[in-house]
Amino acid sequence: MTDATSTRPDDRPDTLPAARPGARPDTRPDARERNAERLLRVSARHSHDPLTEIDWAAPVDPDQFAIPPHRVSLHGTPLWASMTHRQQVRLSVHELASTMAAGIWFELILMEGLIRHVYESDLTTRHAQYALTEVADECRHSTMFARYITAMGYPSARPSRRAQRLGRLHFLLNDTTMMFAGAVFVEEFTDAMQREMVRDDSLQPLARSVARIHVIEEARHIGYAKPELERRWARMSAPRRAVFRQTLALLAHQSVTEVIHPRVYALAGLDPRVARQAAARNPDWQQAKIDWARKAVEFFSGLGLIDRHSEHRWRRAGLLPAARRAS
C-alpha cells in the first residue's frame, strides 16, 4: 500500500503537463485520435487502484489538518480564532469530505455524459475508447471519495437538493459541450486544491493519498476535455455562444456553492447560520476560490467563454476578483 509521501518521480503533481490557456485547437484530422492514443498509453502506465494502494486502516491523527489551514473557509475570522485546535482540524476534515461529496455528484454527471458521448461515437476510435477509460477512472475516484467520507465519519455523500435537481436537468438537456466545459472547470478547481495538499507533508496522510491519486489521473481527464471543448466551441454559432457563456457561469457558481455543505459547521460544533455568514465575508476563503479557479478562468477567457457580458456572473460566484473602481 502507498503512503501519500511515496509518490513516484513520474507521478509528481509538479511534473504533470498543463494545457496552455487560450491555445488554438489542433484542427488536423488526426489530432483527436493522436491525443486519445497518448492518453491511453499514459493511462496504461499510471492508473491506480485506491482500494489496494491506500492504507485505509492506518490510524488518523486528530490533530492533523486535512487541507492547509489557510484554505479552511473560516480561517482568519474571529470565529476561527475562537475555535480550539481540534475544532479547526475537525472543520478542515469535514470540509474536505464535503468537497469529495460534491466531487461524487459531478463525477456521476460526467460519467453519464461520457457514456452518452460514446453511444453517439464509433467505439473503434481511440477517442471513444479513452472516454470509457476515463469512466473507469471516475468510478474508482467516486468509490475512493466515498471511502474517505465514511472513514472520516462524514454523514452523507449525497448532494444538496438543488444540486440533485440541476443534475437531473443536465441529464435531460444532454449537452455534451457543456459536459466538457464543466469537466474543465471542476477538474481544474479540484486539481489546484489537491496539488496544494500533496505538497504539504504536514497534512493528514490519508487525505494526501487520496489527493495524490486524483491529481495524477485527473491530469489526463483535463487533457481530454480541453481540446474537445476547443473543437466544439469553434463550431458553435454566435447566438448559442451567448447562451452558453451565461449557462457555464451558472454551472461554475453552483459547483463552488456545493463544495461546502452547511452541515460541516454543525459537525464542528458551530452555528451553521453564523458560520456561513462569516465564511461568505471572509477574504481568505474568497481568495482560495479565486486561486483554485484561476487555471479554468484563464483557459475560458482565452477561448472567449468568459467575456464582458458574462464576467459579472463569475465575480458574483466569487471566482474572479472584484472589479476595481475607477479613481
Side-chain angles (χ1 to χ4, degrees):
M1 292 187 181
T2 61
D3 178 80
T5 58
S6 63
T7 308
R8 297 194 301 265
D10 51 358
D11 278 354
R12 285 199 307 265
D14 289 334
T15 66
L16 296 172
R20 292 169 296 158
R24 291 180 178 273
D26 188 340
T27 56
R28 287 174 291 181
D30 64 341
R32 201 189 204 196
E33 284 295 274
R34 286 189 294 104
N35 184 51
E37 178 67 42
R38 177 183 65 82
L39 293 171
L40 285 166
R41 287 197 305 270
V42 175
S43 297
R45 293 197 303 268
H46 303 300
S47 289
H48 298 270
D49 182 356
L51 297 185
T52 60
E53 294 184 36
I54 293 177
D55 187 357
W56 296 101
V60 174
D61 186 341
D63 290 316
Q64 276 188 305
F65 284 92
I67 59 177
H70 72 285
R71 295 309 201 184
V72 180
S73 65
L74 294 179
H75 179 271
T77 66
L79 186 55
W80 177 263
S82 73
M83 297 167 66
T84 66
H85 177 75
R86 285 279 177 95
Q87 272 186 301
Q88 294 172 349
V89 169
R90 196 179 315 133
L91 180 59
S92 79
V93 169
H94 289 313
E95 287 196 0
L96 179 59
S98 177
T99 301
M100 290 184 182
I104 292 172
W105 166 69
F106 184 79
E107 288 182 341
L108 291 173
I109 294 173
L110 175 61
M111 285 189 276
E112 194 268 355
L114 287 171
I115 291 294
R116 291 196 189 198
H117 182 54
V118 172
Y119 189 80
E120 300 296 334
S121 304
D122 178 358
L123 195 50
T124 65
T125 65
R126 295 301 198 192
H127 179 80
Q129 291 167 15
Y130 180 75
L132 290 183
T133 302
E134 183 168 327
V135 170
D137 289 345
E138 298 294 13
C139 285
R140 293 193 303 275
H141 295 170
S142 292
T143 302
M144 174 174 68
F145 288 169
R147 284 289 296 266
Y148 183 85
I149 288 168
T150 301
M152 294 301 104
Y154 191 70
S156 177
R158 300 288 299 169
S160 67
R161 292 189 185 93
R162 176 177 170 79
Q164 187 79 357
R165 290 194 298 269
L166 288 175
R168 291 194 185 105
L169 177 61
H170 181 80
F171 295 154
L172 290 173
L173 295 175
N174 189 27
D175 188 330
T176 304
T177 308
M178 186 59 68
M179 174 199 73
F180 282 115
V184 170
F185 177 76
V186 172
E187 289 170 355
E188 287 283 31
F189 189 90
T190 55
D191 179 80
M193 173 188 179
Q194 292 175 343
R195 282 175 188 261
E196 292 181 356
M197 293 169 57
V198 173
R199 295 182 185 119
D200 189 343
D201 60 10
S202 72
L203 300 178
Q204 180 196 96
L206 181 58
R208 294 180 66 225
S209 291
V210 170
R212 182 184 67 84
I213 288 177
H214 197 244
V215 163
I216 291 166
E217 299 187 339
E218 288 298 315
R220 303 194 291 265
H221 303 174
I222 294 169
Y224 183 71
K226 281 186 172 179
E228 190 63 21
L229 176 59
E230 289 173 326
R231 279 187 287 270
R232 289 168 174 271
W233 180 251
R235 299 194 302 263
M236 195 178 292
S237 67
R240 189 174 174 221
R241 283 186 174 198
V243 174
F244 192 92
R245 290 185 184 102
Q246 301 296 325
T247 306
L248 176 59
L250 292 173
L251 182 150
H253 192 171
Q254 178 58 39
S255 298
V256 172
T257 300
E258 192 68 16
V259 165
I260 303 296
H261 194 286
R263 71 166 66 94
V264 301
Y265 302 121
L267 291 169
L270 304 172
D271 181 324
R273 184 183 62 82
V274 172
R276 286 185 73 184
Q277 291 174 349
R281 297 190 298 264
N282 183 13
D284 286 3
W285 177 232
Q286 292 165 4
Q287 189 60 50
K289 291 184 289 183
I290 290 170
D291 289 345
W292 294 338
R294 181 167 289 117
K295 281 189 177 180
V297 167
E298 288 177 353
F299 179 75
F300 291 154
S301 298
L303 278 183
L305 274 78
I306 299 176
D307 65 1
R308 61 189 180 87
H309 299 295
S310 60
E311 68 175 15
H312 70 282
R313 293 191 181 276
W314 291 84
R315 294 190 198 283
R316 190 179 305 162
L319 300 171
L320 280 173
R324 293 179 180 176
R325 295 181 180 179
S327 55

